[in-house]
Amino acid sequence: MNSFLENTLADLEKSQIDTTAVTYVVPSRRVGIFLSRHIAQRLETPIFLPKIYSVEEYIEQLAEVEILNDLDLLPLFYKAYKSVEKGKDLDTFDEFIGWATTILKDFNEMDRYLVDPQQFFNYLGSVKEMDHWALNQNPTLMVSKYLRFWKKLHLYYDAFQKLCLENETVYQGMAYRLAFAKAEQVSFISDLKEKTVFLGLNALNTAEAKIIQKLLEEEKGEVYWDIDTYLIDLPFHESGKFIRKFKKEWKYYEKKDLKLYGTQYQTSKNIDIHSAAGNLSMIQVAAQLMEQIPQEELQETAVILADERLLLPLLDAIPKNIQHFNVTMGLSLDQLPLSAFIYDIIKLHTEATEDGFYYKGMVNILESSFAYILIEDNSRALVKFIRENNLIYIAPFSFNEITKQQVIHRISSPIQHVGGLIDLIQYVLEELKGKLFKEDNRRLEIEQLLGITEVVQNLATIIDNNQEIKDLKTVAYLYKQLVPLKNLDFIGEPIRGLQIMGLLETRALDYKNIIMLSVNEGILPAGKSTASYISNDMKHQFELPTYSEKDSVYAYHFYRLLHRVEKAAFIYNTEGDTLGGGEKSRFLTQLETDANSHHIISHKHYIFKNSAVKEELMVIKKESSYFERLQQIAVSGFSPSALTSYVRNPIDFYASKILRVSDMEDVEENIAANTMGSIIHEALDKLYQPYVGRILIKADFDQIKKQMLPELEVAYQKEYISTSDPVGKNKIIYEVSLHYIKKMVQSDLDLVQSGCELIIKSVERKLEAEIKIPQIGKVKIHGMVDRIDQLDGKLRIIDYKSGATDKGNVGIDPEDFNILSGDYKKAKAFQVLMYTYLYSLNEPFTEASAGIISFKNFDQGYIPFAFKAGRSYQEKMIDVEVLQNFEQVLFALIQELFNKEIHLTEKPV
């Protein structure tokens, strides 16, 4: 079956037109490559190729101009804007770029469709005024400025056009106006020496349509439409919307027929519709389908990405049996890690404050693979320095004593102007270049480097040509806009092997087999777009394309693929998102419901079942290394927290105490709950320390209250490393800590004022003891008791808790002491009993009370160790019997730790 391009060349030859002596205008450069190949195959001797232009290239050569991209035009547009707008109404460049890019797109569309500017802008100003109509005769300042902007838009347009002509620079829409004006000249036709052949085009704008009509009427042009007769004859089919319109409205077609080469759409085709949940599942389906393609058909197969973001995962999934493939799309630089690394450096400086650089930005830079290339192990040392010193903001030159690396000093030096930021980026890129060229297998990184260097050079040119750019945030914005415009092209043979392409690259090309991914509503077609200030009503009024026309463009591309295909596989994503999603494209539904279709359509739903991960609890056998470390702990001492961590989960105990693996410390930007507890403990310790061993009186509390703020400040500085005063959330936590301390002091004062005798015996007392455990021997235990006091002669051993605690946490069933080593919910009861046990070994007593003071539920006051009685808990004084029962539990727990036969078994937490 011949392709569209082959049929076109055959018809030209049939019409006695020399295929080597005409100018071709095709949808894309890629079509030009295939067209030149087909022309060459028809020749017996070498010749110079005929001129082959993409549509935009044709417009450029016709208008004799070079079209600049919108980003390069922004400084010129701003200059035009400033020539119109004066004084307080003038936006800064940063404000200007917020709306100018969209306005430029609207200018382009208006000019491509040859809309009368004066009429258009008058209408637009009136529409905007109607949108803000109100009974109030005096609109607000904001509304007045808004309406004034729309009334002046035609002045911006005129000034911009004038400035473009003066600078011999054009934007896309202006090039189209100039090309149309050139085509209208009498000399245009007479100067043409050869015919111009347009092929494979579809949705023409007004300028393109009028230029082509002019050439057709003067017999200087030929147009070949790539659409099937079946689709063009269906009056309401979206795919033929534009070509039907041209047939109806163009004067040329009153006497001439459309040159169509498509009658194969209705031939029977195998169409497989695959549904898969998620992007990766779609990739897996595509990989399976690619693997099934015979080697001899690879060159006639295209994999089409309706969503081009799937390119990288697709490349990773290409089967090993496919040795040759060609990627036509290019990979946008913004998807590559070097662009993110450079943006992180820019962002670091745009977000810098008087306090310095925010730590997260600096850590992002230092943890990048490119930072490691630049400074190697210094990057890890600097991250460690930040975390150990809890640096939330990193002052300039903070790293001077840690590293001598010049690149780090440059990155962490303050920048005051945009030129300095550009110099820094260029310096970093130059340093990277020097490192990468010295290493092997760095081709991909070097390609990224060359691409980013080109982007930064463009950025520097824009800044040099526009002195109004003074804000570092503008540099960040421009960089983010420039990077996606630069693609890294894949090296490959364009006509060899499997072809991987985006939807637009398929225009005018035919394949025997196609595999298309992401055939979903919202992608194919893309749906409504709001990137325009022109309302839908205005677009209808001035015959500009709306989302409906854009849907028809997608329909054309989709159905055109089916003209000459033999086997097609369409894969859509069934996975919904927060907005719904998961809906297959309407084009697939149309295929399924076409009563006249002869296609063989099959459906397959893919469910890639991941092997269920069984929640098997980890079991670790106790090896000799375990017992060696356990013996070390027995010598240094078991603490209540160590033992209760084993009760909670033996694997946690193994990780933290045996392997000594601690959680990675990160910068504590906000005071953590445990740090808050430490601050309160430390402050209370220092407040009561001077009064240990004496009966407290009211006068003592007067002094304690005076010292609360100073002692809290000292505790804050000791427990929370920070170079700044508490602000934000930390300020709240600081005040809450002060509130808790005041409540604690006031509680003690209330006791004294009520006539109670209160003696603080010790604060933050470290207790140690050596016990002899059967079958193990001597073992040391220790603990730090927050407070030991005597209230009206009753000994109390108190542990402070910043979290919530209730009576059930400190009480047990008197018949079930073993629950202390079996249920972590009783960890607080275990702790206070162990403190009391330790105290009894150091200072024997007859009985004592032990309990918790919880700051979070302070209203409950002192919560003592208790026995359960029915549904309530009654305080239980700790005597010899209680201590003996606890000792049995403690011994059994430590014996279990040393028991080789009892493995460490994970508990679900």
Side-chain angles (χ1 to χ4, degrees):
M1 187 180 293
N2 288 337
S3 68
F4 168 70
L5 296 179
E6 289 173 313
N7 285 334
T8 299
L9 292 173
D11 188 78
L12 287 171
E13 290 171 349
K14 185 178 177 182
S15 303
Q16 305 298 312
I17 296 173
D18 185 354
T19 56
T20 64
V22 296
T23 297
Y24 294 96
V25 180
V26 295
S28 67
R29 289 181 181 177
R30 180 168 179 73
V31 177
I33 293 172
F34 280 83
L35 178 63
S36 62
R37 181 189 174 210
H38 287 306
I39 292 172
Q41 288 173 345
R42 293 170 175 272
L43 300 173
E44 296 180 357
T45 58
I47 62 160
F48 287 108
L49 271 176
K51 295 173 186 174
I52 302 176
Y53 298 112
S54 68
V55 177
E56 190 165 293
E57 288 170 343
Y58 176 72
I59 294 296
E60 282 184 320
Q61 70 85 27
L62 182 57
E64 298 179 326
V65 294
E66 183 179 351
I67 298 171
L68 291 184
N69 66 57
D70 289 351
L71 210 58
D72 291 332
L73 288 163
L74 278 176
L76 195 65
F77 187 21
Y78 187 62
K79 189 176 179 181
Y81 166 73
K82 287 198 303 179
S83 69
V84 175
E85 211 61 81
K86 306 290 182 185
K88 61 182 181 179
D89 291 331
L90 180 67
D91 285 351
T92 64
F93 190 78
D94 311 315
E95 295 168 326
F96 168 79
I97 57 179
W99 53 264
T101 49
T102 305
I103 289 289
L104 274 177
K105 286 182 173 65
D106 288 341
F107 284 177
N108 278 328
E109 192 154 275
M110 183 185 76
D111 287 337
R112 286 198 304 266
Y113 283 82
L114 305 178
V115 174
D116 180 80
Q118 190 69 34
Q119 186 182 357
F120 178 82
F121 288 120
N122 286 342
Y123 194 97
L124 181 62
S126 300
V127 167
K128 295 298 179 183
E129 196 165 10
M130 286 176 66
D131 286 345
H132 285 77
W133 175 85
L135 291 173
N136 189 352
Q137 295 295 319
N138 300 310
T140 64
L141 184 65
M142 184 177 72
V143 171
S144 297
K145 184 178 179 181
Y146 176 84
L147 295 175
R148 193 161 53 248
F149 170 83
W150 293 110
K151 289 290 186 183
K152 285 188 174 182
L153 194 56
H154 75 282
L155 299 176
Y156 305 155
Y157 174 83
D158 292 340
F160 183 43
Q161 288 253 327
K162 182 181 177 183
L163 211 52
C164 283
L165 290 172
E166 289 174 1
N167 287 271
E168 298 181 349
T169 300
V170 300
Y171 57 95
Q172 188 192 61
M174 188 175 179
Y176 274 83
R177 278 200 189 271
L178 293 172
F180 171 71
K182 177 83 175 288
E184 287 290 286
Q185 294 173 8
V186 176
S187 60
F188 169 64
I189 296 297
S190 58
D191 289 345
L192 284 177
K193 296 177 182 173
E194 55 191 33
K195 276 198 170 189
T196 303
V197 178
F198 300 88
L199 53 93
L201 306 183
N202 176 46
L204 303 176
N205 58 50
T206 307
E208 291 165 348
K210 286 184 179 283
I211 291 168
I212 292 173
Q213 286 181 75
K214 180 80 172 176
L215 290 168
L216 289 175
E217 289 165 8
E218 298 292 339
E219 297 187 349
K220 289 288 186 177
E222 298 286 343
V223 181
Y224 290 87
W225 307 103
D226 188 9
I227 191 166
D228 197 273
T229 51
Y230 173 74
L231 298 173
I232 199 86
D233 290 339
L234 291 174
F236 300 108
H237 202 285
E238 287 179 290
S239 64
K241 179 176 183 176
F242 295 101
I243 298 173
R244 278 195 299 272
K245 178 185 175 186
F246 302 148
K247 181 181 180 181
K248 180 180 178 182
E249 296 180 357
W250 287 10
K251 187 177 179 182
Y252 177 77
Y253 288 124
E254 291 176 2
K255 299 178 181 178
K256 301 277 187 178
D257 293 328
L258 286 173
K259 292 194 175 181
L260 304 175
Y261 285 101
T263 55
Q264 294 88 26
Y265 175 79
Q266 279 293 75
T267 58
S268 179
K269 307 174 191 304
N270 293 313
I271 298 175
D272 298 327
I273 298 175
H274 305 266
S275 59
N279 289 333
L280 291 180
S281 293
M282 286 197 295
I283 295 290
Q284 288 176 304
V285 174
Q288 287 184 12
L289 296 174
M290 286 188 280
E291 201 168 15
Q292 297 166 13
I293 301 168
Q295 288 292 320
E296 63 274 12
E297 292 186 11
L298 282 177
Q299 195 166 309
E300 299 176 273
T301 303
V303 177
I304 302 155
L305 301 179
D307 182 354
E308 297 186 5
R309 292 173 298 180
L310 296 184
L311 176 59
L312 285 179
L314 179 73
L315 292 179
D316 285 335
I318 290 178
K320 292 180 180 179
N321 66 314
I322 298 178
Q323 296 180 355
H324 301 289
F325 60 90
N326 179 55
V327 181
T328 70
M329 298 149 52
L331 186 62
S332 177
L333 271 184
D334 63 342
Q335 296 184 47
L336 296 170
L338 182 56
S339 68
F341 176 67
I342 297 300
Y343 183 68
D344 283 340
I345 294 175
I346 296 171
K347 193 176 176 186
L348 182 77
H349 288 276
T350 60
E351 294 179 352
T353 67
E354 293 178 357
D355 296 324
F357 303 111
Y358 187 47
Y359 81 96
K360 285 186 179 177
M362 186 63 81
V363 168
N364 282 344
I365 293 168
L366 293 173
E367 289 184 339
S368 165
S369 60
F370 293 101
Y372 186 77
I373 292 170
L374 285 168
I375 60 175
E376 297 178 350
D377 288 335
N378 275 288
S379 60
R380 296 191 182 99
L382 292 171
V383 171
K384 184 179 178 183
F385 174 77
I386 292 169
R387 286 173 174 154
E388 285 181 349
N389 291 276
N390 204 50
L391 298 177
I392 298 171
Y393 284 96
I394 299 155
F397 316 114
S398 293
F399 298 144
N400 283 6
E401 296 180 6
I402 309 300
T403 179
K404 302 299 180 187
Q405 292 278 358
Q406 183 63 26
V407 66
I408 285 297
H409 296 318
R410 285 286 298 269
I411 290 173
S412 59
S413 299
I415 289 175
Q416 305 299 332
H417 55 89
V418 294
L421 185 53
I422 295 297
D423 290 342
L424 170 62
I425 299 166
Q426 290 175 332
Y427 167 77
V428 171
L429 291 173
E430 196 62 34
E431 288 293 304
L432 263 176
K433 178 181 173 183
K435 296 277 188 181
L436 291 172
F437 280 157
K438 292 177 183 176
E439 298 183 19
D440 297 327
N441 301 318
R442 290 291 191 179
R443 187 170 179 178
L444 178 59
E445 288 84 354
I446 291 170
E447 288 290 339
Q448 292 181 57
L449 181 69
L450 294 175
I452 292 293
T453 301
E454 188 178 327
V455 167
V456 174
Q457 286 171 348
N458 290 347
L459 183 59
T461 302
I462 291 173
I463 290 170
D464 289 342
N465 293 338
N466 190 40
Q467 299 304 312
E468 282 77 15
I469 301 177
K470 296 178 181 178
D471 193 327
L472 299 183
K473 290 181 180 177
T474 308
V475 178
Y477 173 84
L478 292 172
Y479 176 83
K480 289 291 279 184
Q481 295 298 312
L482 278 169
V483 168
L485 300 177
K486 177 67 181 173
N487 281 348
L488 285 187
D489 294 325
F490 289 88
I491 298 172
E493 175 57 53
I495 55 174
R496 185 183 182 194
L498 181 73
Q499 301 294 308
I500 299 172
M501 56 181 67
L503 185 61
L504 291 180
E505 275 90 28
T506 65
R507 291 173 292 182
L509 301 177
D510 297 302
Y511 294 95
K512 183 177 181 179
N513 308 303
I514 61 168
I515 300 169
M516 184 185 286
L517 290 82
S518 303
V519 191
N520 283 78
E521 279 295 306
I523 297 176
L524 191 71
K528 296 182 181 180
S529 172
T530 56
S532 173
Y533 290 124
I534 307 171
S535 68
N536 223 40
D537 291 341
M538 275 198 68
K539 289 188 174 186
H540 279 296
Q541 177 69 26
F542 289 94
E543 297 184 350
L544 295 173
T546 64
Y547 67 87
S548 175
E549 278 72 30
K550 289 172 184 174
D551 286 356
S552 297
V553 171
Y554 281 102
Y556 171 80
H557 293 320
F558 177 84
Y559 280 97
R560 200 211 62 78
L561 282 170
L562 294 173
H563 289 181
R564 301 166 190 87
V565 77
E566 292 182 13
K567 189 171 184 179
F570 298 109
I571 310 168
Y572 71 94
N573 184 1
T574 60
E575 191 174 74
D577 54 28
T578 52
L579 299 176
E583 182 182 354
K584 67 182 176 186
S585 170
R586 70 186 74 164
F587 302 145
L588 295 181
T589 306
Q590 289 168 5
L591 282 177
E592 294 167 336
T593 55
D594 186 352
N596 299 317
S597 171
H598 303 298
H599 307 321
I600 302 167
I601 299 176
S602 64
H603 299 80
K604 292 179 183 176
H605 181 61
Y606 286 79
I607 301 174
F608 288 92
K609 290 186 178 179
N610 295 318
S611 300
V613 178
K614 293 181 180 178
E615 292 289 334
E616 292 184 359
L617 298 175
M618 188 185 299
V619 177
I620 298 174
K621 293 182 179 180
K622 296 172 181 176
E623 305 288 346
S624 58
S625 57
Y626 167 85
F627 290 105
E628 287 173 13
R629 173 60 188 149
L630 197 64
Q631 195 58 50
Q632 291 174 6
I633 298 172
V635 173
S636 61
F638 287 101
S639 67
S641 59
L643 293 171
T644 54
S645 75
Y646 176 80
V647 173
R648 179 177 183 269
N649 187 358
I651 299 302
D652 289 346
F653 172 83
Y654 179 75
S656 62
K657 302 302 177 184
I658 304 300
L659 299 181
R660 289 175 276 194
V661 175
S662 58
D663 293 335
M664 186 185 74
E665 283 194 21
D666 203 352
V667 174
E668 193 177 335
E669 188 173 354
N670 294 315
I671 298 172
N674 61 334
T675 306
M676 174 184 167
S678 299
I679 291 170
I680 296 170
H681 280 61
E682 178 68 19
L684 288 171
D685 174 30
K686 294 296 184 288
L687 284 171
Y688 281 100
Q689 193 70 52
Y691 307 97
V692 169
R694 59 192 247 197
I695 299 172
L696 290 173
I697 59 175
K698 183 179 179 301
D700 295 331
F701 288 98
D702 293 338
Q703 290 301 314
I704 288 172
K705 287 182 178 180
K706 289 178 183 178
Q707 287 299 114
M708 279 193 292
L709 265 175
E711 292 298 351
L712 177 61
E713 184 61 33
V714 171
Y716 175 82
Q717 296 297 339
K718 179 182 177 182
E719 300 295 335
Y720 180 69
I721 301 170
S722 176
T723 56
S724 60
D725 293 331
V727 294
K729 190 174 179 181
N730 284 353
K731 178 64 175 174
I732 296 171
I733 294 171
Y734 182 90
E735 293 297 331
V736 169
S737 301
L738 178 60
H739 174 69
Y740 285 160
I741 292 167
K742 284 180 177 178
K743 289 186 80 170
M744 185 70 230
V745 172
Q746 186 61 46
S747 174
D748 287 340
L749 176 57
D750 291 343
L751 288 172
V752 171
Q753 287 182 328
S754 67
C756 296
E757 181 184 89
L758 179 62
I759 302 171
I760 305 293
K761 292 178 70 68
S762 62
V763 287
E764 291 292 320
R765 181 174 174 182
K766 186 173 183 180
L767 296 172
E768 295 179 336
E770 196 172 75
I771 55 178
K772 191 171 183 180
I773 299 178
Q775 302 159 8
I776 295 173
K778 291 181 180 179
V779 170
K780 186 178 179 182
I781 57 174
H782 66 85
M784 185 75 73
V785 183
D786 292 333
R787 168 168 157 170
I788 301 172
D789 67 24
Q790 191 171 305
L791 182 64
D792 288 339
K794 181 170 75 172
L795 180 66
R796 298 195 305 174
I797 296 168
I798 300 171
D799 189 37
Y800 297 138
K801 295 293 180 187
S802 55
T805 302
D806 58 37
K807 292 179 180 179
N809 298 133
V810 196
I812 63 170
D813 188 323
E815 302 300 323
D816 186 16
F817 267 80
N818 288 327
I819 197 172
L820 293 168
S821 61
D823 188 352
Y824 182 71
K825 291 179 181 178
K826 301 299 181 181
K828 293 180 176 67
F830 184 98
Q831 276 187 303
V832 296
L833 284 171
M834 186 163 171
Y835 289 144
T836 312
Y837 178 72
L838 275 164
Y839 188 76
S840 71
L841 296 176
N842 283 269
E843 296 184 29
F845 58 83
T846 305
E847 64 175 16
S849 175
I852 302 287
I853 291 179
S854 168
F855 297 120
K856 195 152 191 176
N857 48 340
F858 200 87
D859 292 342
Q860 290 194 35
Y862 171 68
I863 306 172
F865 172 74
F867 276 169
K868 191 172 184 181
R871 293 186 177 182
S872 61
Y873 287 90
Q874 300 295 326
E875 180 179 0
K876 171 61 181 173
M877 296 299 289
I878 299 171
D879 52 20
V880 174
E881 184 184 356
V882 173
L883 290 176
Q884 286 175 345
N885 286 328
F886 174 75
E887 185 179 64
Q888 290 177 10
V889 172
L890 178 64
F891 281 19
L893 185 58
I894 297 174
Q895 284 170 338
E896 184 177 318
L897 287 170
F898 279 90
N899 190 334
K900 189 175 182 178
E901 302 304 319
I902 300 176
H903 302 318
L904 298 168
T905 303
E906 183 180 11
K907 291 181 181 178
V909 178

